[in-house]
Amino acid sequence: MTASMNSGTPVYNPLESMNRRFDAAVEVLGLDVQFANVLRVPDKVVMANIPVTMDDGTIQVFEGYRVVHSHHLGPSKGGIRYSMDVNLDEVKALAAWMTWKCAIVNIPYGGAKGGIKCNPRAMSKGELERLTRAYTRAMKDVFGPETDIPAPDMGTGQQEMAWIVDEYSKINGKNAWAVVTGKPIVLGGSLGRVEATGRGVMVSTRSALAKMGIKPNGATCVVQGFGNVGSISAKLISQMGVKIIAISDISGGYYNEDGIDVNAAIDFVAKSENRTLEGFPNAKNISNGELLELECTVLVPAAMEDQITPENAHKIRAKLIVEGANGPTTADADAILDAKGILVVPDILANAGGVTVSYFEWVQNRLGYYWTEERVNRRADRVMKAAFDTIYNTSEKHKVNMRLAAYVVALDKVATTLKLRGSF
Ligand code: GLU
């Protein structure tokens, strides 16, 4: 049972979804239970209550988390999320997913995730700066270029990363560019990092369509979510020749069977007062739920967790799902999608382009030598394509879906490292 009921609406727990797939992979691998027990739970959970003086002079206390899931492949890596939905189970699931993601794309990192329960849209820039700096001080013994390296996630971006690098550098009395990735270019950021997750989603889509024998011209795509991942995925997938027929954000869904002009939508959001698609012209208004059920070739859920559930999975009419978000499909929905013959490129593979270029940023910071955008993109595309092929081949070998294959590849690698290190 994955869902609990809250006044008639099922509530899903991403940690339970993560654990279900983890257990299935343990079985496929025949992994010794003692190693599975180490890797099922996080290494370390840090929670801080963070008091912040708000613009009106009052003091508000925010819950801040950093969960380090594993450090077996290297320093832990993962973003920081600002959202009212942040809770410990969610951060634990997201941290574990970072471990599996880094293993899949072969970068020398463990996994972590951070979160602050707050509504960044309702906070001023000053309030966000004070909150981010206070969170960095609370996590000063966790973060470090060789220990744990944060990055952006939902509700955070380059500005928050700039405050983190500044605060951490001040605490330590020296510049520490490599303590965080996703920074502005002038502060040691990498070219291509902003686009990297969406670019990886595009490469995953291209690779999957090729396996399915479907040409991009003539294919259609629906994208849920229009933040960094959704908007850039939509843009790059449309550049492949695929027609984007619907997009959405918190203001709702926008559908046009003749195609959405994605660049116009990106400009529209940038110029709109509340930074949403509200009022976007030349499209029919639909709900986020209706959007998921549209007939299309590719569906890219790039919003948040638990969007494809046993409630709606049987109504999905896409041929291919490429998961831009972390955890958009609940564990119970997997079998329903399989039975419908829908190919799913799972989150821990499809959205790994972001952390891949984060790794390139960290490498560049440590070298003090910066790459061209062309070099970043070329290397990231190569990594994503190789990871896709590995997972696809593993899924054929074990006769399992790509999600389980991704967990199998990741778990096998991390468990091997754990055994070799012999740290217990
Ligand atoms: N938050 C992103 C993710 O979920 C990026 C993490 C990173 O670059 O470290 O993959």
Side-chain angles (χ1 to χ4, degrees):
M1 178 76 186
T2 321
S4 59
M5 296 302 263
N6 183 356
S7 54
T9 321
V11 180
Y12 296 91
N13 182 334
L15 185 59
E16 210 180 312
S17 284
M18 198 292 291
N19 280 332
R20 290 262 301 276
R21 279 86 171 237
F22 176 92
D23 289 338
V26 168
E27 212 176 300
V28 172
L29 280 169
L31 183 67
D32 189 326
V33 67
Q34 41 185 339
F35 296 115
N37 286 344
V38 176
L39 295 174
R40 184 180 284 105
V41 289
D43 284 357
K44 181 157 63 183
V45 173
V46 182
M47 195 264 166
N49 287 306
I50 306 166
V52 175
T53 306
M54 308 305 280
D55 290 348
D56 65 5
T58 60
I59 296 173
Q60 247 185 62
V61 183
F62 294 89
E63 276 171 35
Y65 299 91
R66 184 72 180 170
V67 173
V68 173
H69 174 262
S70 101
H71 62 275
H72 303 97
L73 285 172
S76 53
K77 187 84 191 78
I80 299 170
R81 173 172 291 201
Y82 286 4
S83 152
M84 285 310 286
D85 295 324
V86 164
N87 62 74
L88 185 54
D89 273 3
E90 183 195 57
V91 186
K92 280 184 182 171
L94 290 162
W97 283 327
M98 287 309 305
T99 298
W100 314 136
K101 208 183 288 191
C102 293
I104 286 168
V105 284
N106 251 318
I107 56 180
Y109 286 144
K113 200 80 170 198
I116 303 180
K117 189 178 164 112
C118 67
N119 177 4
R121 283 177 178 267
M123 292 171 71
S124 71
K125 192 168 175 186
E127 289 168 343
L128 284 168
E129 176 169 359
R130 291 192 290 282
L131 176 63
T132 306
R133 287 186 186 278
Y135 174 77
T136 307
R137 287 194 296 275
M139 301 297 167
K140 72 177 175 39
D141 297 329
V142 183
F143 296 165
E146 308 275 354
T147 47
D148 177 50
I149 307 138
D153 196 74
M154 199 187 283
T156 61
Q158 292 189 340
Q159 177 62 80
E160 287 74 17
M161 304 307 116
W163 290 324
I164 292 173
V165 78
D166 184 71
E167 190 66 24
Y168 183 87
S169 297
K170 279 183 178 140
I171 294 167
N172 289 282
K174 57 180 181 223
N175 255 332
W177 296 135
V179 71
V180 59
T181 59
K183 300 180 292 294
I185 304 294
V186 289
L187 283 180
S190 175
L191 293 167
R193 175 62 187 87
V194 169
E195 298 78 17
T197 311
R199 203 176 162 84
V201 170
M202 178 273 286
V203 173
S204 299
T205 305
R206 190 170 63 196
S207 309
L209 288 176
K211 293 281 185 210
M212 296 165 83
I214 299 175
K215 294 216 162 41
N217 284 318
T220 57
C221 177
V222 167
V223 181
Q224 185 197 38
F226 211 65
N228 171 272
V229 182
S231 65
I232 291 166
S233 299
K235 182 168 115 182
L236 297 179
I237 291 172
S238 78
Q239 283 173 8
M240 271 166 55
V242 174
K243 184 160 69 177
I244 308 295
I245 55 167
I247 56 176
S248 75
D249 68 5
I250 45 167
S251 70
Y254 303 83
Y255 171 58
N256 183 339
E257 60 180 343
D258 296 326
I260 299 270
D261 180 341
V262 179
N263 288 325
I266 291 174
D267 284 348
F268 183 89
V269 172
K271 287 187 192 129
S272 81
E273 208 169 293
N274 53 8
R275 299 219 143 222
T276 69
L277 286 162
E278 194 170 357
F280 181 64
N282 306 324
K284 189 177 155 211
N285 286 30
I286 56 173
S287 70
N288 259 295
E290 289 167 328
L291 173 123
L292 292 173
E293 295 165 18
L294 288 172
E295 188 165 356
C296 60
T297 318
V298 195
L299 171 62
V300 178
M304 55 188 300
E305 297 101 86
D306 303 336
Q307 298 301 298
I308 302 173
T309 70
E311 323 290 308
N312 63 2
H314 56 280
K315 290 190 241 160
I316 292 200
R317 290 185 288 163
K319 293 188 173 67
L320 166 68
I321 297 176
V322 183
E323 297 184 335
N326 291 310
T329 307
T330 69
D332 283 332
D334 285 345
I336 303 173
L337 300 176
D338 285 346
K340 288 174 68 85
I342 300 173
L343 179 65
V344 179
V345 185
D347 47 5
I348 51 177
L349 166 62
N351 70 35
V355 74
T356 299
V357 176
S358 274
Y359 167 59
F360 295 163
E361 180 174 331
W362 181 79
V363 167
Q364 292 170 78
N365 291 153
R366 289 157 63 96
L367 283 176
Y369 172 72
Y370 289 83
W371 304 353
T372 60
E373 187 163 0
E374 197 260 328
R375 172 181 273 192
V376 171
N377 288 345
R378 186 167 20 92
R379 292 187 174 189
D381 290 0
R382 202 158 61 206
V383 168
M384 289 303 294
K385 175 74 173 57
F388 181 93
D389 289 343
T390 302
I391 304 303
Y392 191 87
N393 294 340
T394 307
S395 87
E396 298 220 304
K397 181 176 149 204
H398 290 288
K399 299 192 173 33
V400 296
N401 60 30
M402 282 187 80
R403 185 179 322 276
L404 189 47
Y407 276 77
V408 165
V409 167
L411 193 51
D412 192 23
K413 185 165 179 195
V414 184
T416 303
T417 322
L418 180 65
K419 289 178 204 167
L420 284 168
R421 293 180 72 136
S423 53
F424 49 92

